Amino acid sequence: MIKKENLFLKCIMSTIYENKRSLPEEPLTVVRHEIADGRAMCEVWFMTEGCAYDKEGGCTMCNYGKGHKVDEEMILARLKQSFQELPDSNYNLVINPSGSFLDEREVCSRLRLGIYELLDHVSFESLTVESRADVITEPLLRELRNRYPDKRVSVEIGVETLDAGLLRNSVNKGVFISDIEAAVEKVHSAGLRCVANIGLGLPFVSEKANMNIACQSVQKALKIGFDAVILFPYHIKPGTLLEVLYKAGRYQCVSLWALIEVLAMLPQECLPVVNISWYRNYYTDKTKILSSPCTCSECQEAILALLDKYKSEPCKDTLAALEHEICSCRNSWKDNLKGQADCIEYAMFERDYRFLARYFHMDTDLLEEALREVKESLYAVSE
């Protein structure tokens, strides 16, 4: 049976969190506009102390921000100003803190209800909030549904992968797949939509295997009841385990060709409910990203433009335009894949875990126990 927590990674991530640079005290809110699924999408971020799980030794790839405790009234005042920047109607509003909107350790009831009161005066078409699976509760979901009974309301869950071993030993997610399934059921029971965020670029796994795992995870997510999936290729952010591995030459971002290939591997009937995000670096502050998924300087802008079109209208036609793109860098990428494993390999975990143990001066017994559990997870049939 695969355990929920990877104590080896948890200890490392706790150290990384302690040394992580805090966010600047300003801005307290940020508004971002783009087109997704054929209509305008507006994302509003607001400052919190940050993801509660991150403080405990969180996910290996994630750094939404180590924030500051801010007075709720000040945040609400800034949000009121930010909401005035939004269109008059017909858009999807995504509102998120630095972690989980439905985690009361991060967004207290006073702040959450204050945000709902502000939203009562905002003319959005649909609303999306993001949350970890293990903090979603039925009372908060009912509260959200009852507040907006005539709106399409969605809860995005950071799933990353539906491979149980990788969820623990690569992502350090701290949840079981059964927790994710339970969260989907709760969301649907409340009459809300449920969206899965699936990652591409898991550490300790080859790019070729990452593509297969992401494809499988997207299909599993739809099978267990998610209404839609968003596929994310990982960027390398400061204050993450990916940064440590990247600077040691042990990790690099997947190519944007890998993202296109995963979409092409999916059954065509899935495409209208499989969208993409973060194939671009949306940050204006260049220090927030160390490296991003890319192709080459000759085709990069053309590929990004075509990915924008797919995001606006996910379907076989917009994917076909991407599949038909030709560049010498695509051929080089395919050649590089030929020498990679197409499945999870224990040897990659062992190599990088032993490096991390040396780098972070980890206890040898903890390392060996972690490696034993990794090996067991490769042969585990279920949780």
Side-chain angles (χ1 to χ4, degrees), residues 60-62 159-161 170-171 197-203 210 232-237 242 251-254 277-278 291-293:
T60 54
M61 73 295 169
C62 190
V159 173
E160 314 310 333
T161 180
S170 175
V171 181
N197 292 340
I198 298 294
L200 179 60
L202 304 174
N210 254 295
F232 289 71
Y234 292 152
H235 298 252
I236 300 170
K237 297 182 178 182
L242 297 191
Y251 180 88
Q252 61 182 19
C253 293
V254 299
S277 192
W278 282 99
S291 181
S292 295

Side-chain angles (χ1 to χ4, degrees), residues 150 252 271 380:
D150 301 322
Q252 61 182 19
L271 295 178

Side-chain angles (χ1 to χ4, degrees), residues 315-343:
C315 65
K316 63 180 182 180
D317 293 334
T318 49
L319 175 58
L322 284 160
E323 290 186 275
H324 293 153
E325 279 294 302
I326 299 172
C327 184
S328 59
C329 77
R330 188 173 197 173
N331 294 330
S332 299
W333 171 76
K334 286 183 176 179
D335 288 341
N336 186 52
L337 287 183
K338 292 176 183 176
Q340 296 181 17
D342 60 1
C343 59

